[in-house]
């Protein structure tokens, strides 16, 4: 019987289209409680039942179980049961089930198409999408962020139009990423993304070369501040010359656009400031990472090597080429090494003679 009533209440002609699902559920729930209360009172007054028996009869009747151990015996009691339970109660329960199914279906659909209002707090907010293979880039970024213990369980929300037609890819959904379809210029979408409760926001540049993309990033940063975000905003910037301007207008961490290396943005999120050091390794200006090939294998501890190189003012060793395996190893603290080449961060004034000075410092 409930299945027939459910299909009837699910028909378009019977739906309450002028109210929200939330109001509909609330109204129906109150109606069910009212009908049940009225029936319990009727059974106690008309049938002389104890409260416990009246509650039991009401419960078994409204869910259409009807064990038959209790039932109304008087005409007035039977009429009350028909009026309250069969006409009012069961119909309303069927409608309530219909409303619950509608609500669940609607919420799942809105989450899938990016129109759901997420109630996230202390989350990572990613805005826009990187150029190139956006899905692969985002997956690598999320993996790098989640690898850090302070961000392992942090919610991640993506505000973008990239998946408006295709929905969020499974690769991102499986990593716990949720999304809102839209942009920072869309007030409703921005509200759903909750930037005022975000732990950190990262604004992607849509291009690695077009300076107009920086203008769009700047507009997004301003909108985030206007929406109440007081925490760090990381903003990708095409031209290094625009870094200061972005910083003055609200971006706490302007970073170079490196869509081939999402690890740089991940460092900016989990370890603010470290991305600036990484960026320097990609340029020929300022300090540079140099490979210094040694005339013969050097053996000793990493601490001894650090002391000699840094003490001579040559630079900072960050890794070495293992003479035994040919692998490049970084910062092997606490053990002896056999190196046939070193990797040093060397300043402008020491780059010309870096190899000669290193050989002398290591007494090779």
């Amino acid at each position: 019987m409930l299945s027939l009533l459910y299909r009837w209440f699910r028909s378009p002609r019977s739906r309450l289209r002028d109210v929200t699902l939330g109001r509909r559920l609330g109204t129906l729930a109150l109606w069910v409680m009212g009908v049940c209360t009225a029936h319990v009172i009727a059974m106690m007054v008309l049938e002389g039942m104890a409260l416990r028996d009246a509650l039991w009869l009401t419960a078994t009747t409204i869910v259409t179980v009807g064990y038959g151990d209790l039932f109304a015996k008087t005409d007035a009691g039977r009429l009350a049961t028909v009026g309250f339970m069969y006409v009012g109660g069961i119909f309303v329960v069927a409608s309530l089930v219909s409303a619950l199914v509608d609500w669940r279906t609607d919420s799942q659909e809105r989450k899938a198409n990016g129109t759901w209002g997420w109630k996230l707090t202390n989350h990572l907010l990613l805005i826009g999408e990187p150029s190139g293979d956006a899905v692969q880039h985002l997956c690598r970024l999320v993996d790098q962020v989640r690898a850090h213990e302070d961000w392992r369980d942090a919610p991640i929300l993506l505000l973008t139009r990239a998946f408006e037609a295709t929905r969020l890819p499974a690769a991102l959904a499986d990593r716990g990423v949720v999304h809102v379809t839209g942009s920072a210029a869309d007030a409703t979408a921005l509200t759903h993304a909750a930037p005022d409760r975000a732990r950190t926001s990262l604004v992607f540049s849509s291009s690695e070369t077009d300076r107009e993309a920086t203008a769009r990033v700047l507009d997004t940063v301003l909108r985030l501040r206007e929406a109440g975000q007081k925490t760090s905003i990381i903003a990708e910037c095409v031209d290094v010359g625009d870094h200061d301007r972005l910083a003055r207008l609200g971006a706490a961490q302007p970073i170079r656009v490196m869509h081939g290396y999402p690890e740089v943005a991940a460092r900016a999120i989990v370890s603010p400031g470290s991305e600036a050091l990484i960026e320097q390794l990609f340029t020929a200006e300022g300090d540079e990472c140099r490979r210094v090939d040694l005339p013969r294998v050097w053996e000793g501890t990493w601490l001894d090597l650090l002391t000699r190189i840094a003490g001579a003012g040559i630079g900072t060793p960050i890794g070495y080429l293992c003479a035994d395996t040919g692998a490049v190893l970084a910062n092997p603290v606490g053990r002896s090494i056999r190196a046939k080449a070193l990797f040093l961060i060397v300043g402008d004034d020491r780059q010309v003679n870096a190899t000669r000075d290193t050989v002398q410092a290591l007494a090779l």
Side-chain angles (χ1 to χ4, degrees), residues 104-347:
R104 181 174 176 81
T105 302
D106 178 72
S107 62
Q108 289 177 337
E109 178 67 20
R110 291 175 62 193
K111 288 177 181 179
N113 63 28
T115 57
W116 182 257
W118 299 95
K119 306 297 183 182
L120 299 183
T121 301
N122 208 31
H123 56 289
L124 171 60
L125 175 57
L126 307 176
I127 302 177
E129 64 279 344
S131 58
D133 189 341
V135 175
Q136 182 184 34
H137 181 99
L138 290 168
C139 287
R140 288 170 58 189
L141 174 65
V142 170
D143 289 343
Q144 288 291 313
V145 171
R146 287 272 167 78
H148 196 278
E149 59 182 8
D150 291 341
W151 288 85
R152 188 164 294 127
D153 300 318
I156 299 178
L157 188 148
L158 176 62
L159 174 61
T160 181
R161 294 192 182 279
F163 311 117
E164 189 170 8
T166 60
R167 299 189 177 186
L168 189 70
L172 290 171
D174 291 344
R175 287 170 166 80
V177 177
V178 298
H179 84 299
V180 171
T181 297
S183 67
D186 183 340
T188 300
L190 189 60
T191 299
H192 287 169
D196 56 318
R197 300 194 299 271
R199 179 176 175 181
T200 297
S201 291
L202 169 61
V203 183
F204 291 110
S205 171
S206 58
S207 171
E208 293 188 84
T209 57
D210 184 4
R211 291 193 61 182
E212 291 186 2
T214 299
R216 293 188 289 271
V217 169
L218 175 58
D219 179 73
T220 298
V221 170
L222 292 175
R223 290 179 185 275
L224 290 175
R225 292 305 186 198
E226 290 172 356
Q229 180 169 356
K230 300 184 183 302
T231 52
S232 175
I233 299 176
I234 304 167
E236 292 188 337
C237 183
V238 173
D239 194 327
V240 177
D242 291 326
H243 278 203
D244 290 341
R245 187 161 63 97
L246 271 171
R248 288 195 305 270
L249 295 175
Q253 294 172 252
I255 63 173
R256 188 187 302 270
V257 183
M258 295 184 182
H259 288 166
Y261 299 92
E263 293 78 9
V264 176
R267 291 300 94 197
I269 294 169
V270 303
S271 184
S274 62
E275 78 285 351
L277 300 176
I278 297 174
E279 285 183 12
Q280 292 179 14
L281 301 181
F282 288 86
T283 66
E285 296 85 14
D287 294 348
E288 185 177 350
C289 182
R290 294 287 300 273
R291 170 174 169 153
V292 175
D293 291 301
L294 304 178
R296 64 175 184 272
V297 174
W298 184 87
E299 297 185 54
T301 66
W302 182 251
L303 178 60
D304 184 27
L305 186 143
L306 282 172
T307 302
R308 294 189 184 201
I309 300 297
I314 301 169
T316 304
I318 59 173
Y320 73 99
L321 183 64
C322 181
D324 300 319
T325 65
V328 176
L329 304 176
N331 197 26
V333 178
R335 68 172 186 263
S336 297
I337 66 171
R338 284 171 44 82
K340 64 178 182 179
L342 302 178
F343 297 92
L344 314 177
I345 301 296
V346 182

Side-chain angles (χ1 to χ4, degrees), residues 47-66:
E47 298 292 330
M49 291 185 180
L51 176 61
R52 181 178 60 183
D53 292 338
L55 287 171
W56 174 251
L57 176 59
T58 299
T60 56
T61 303
I62 200 167
V63 297
T64 68
V65 175

Side-chain angles (χ1 to χ4, degrees), residues 82-96:
V82 171
F84 285 128
M85 304 306 293
Y86 289 107
V87 176
I90 295 177
F91 273 40
V92 172
V93 168
S95 185
L96 181 60

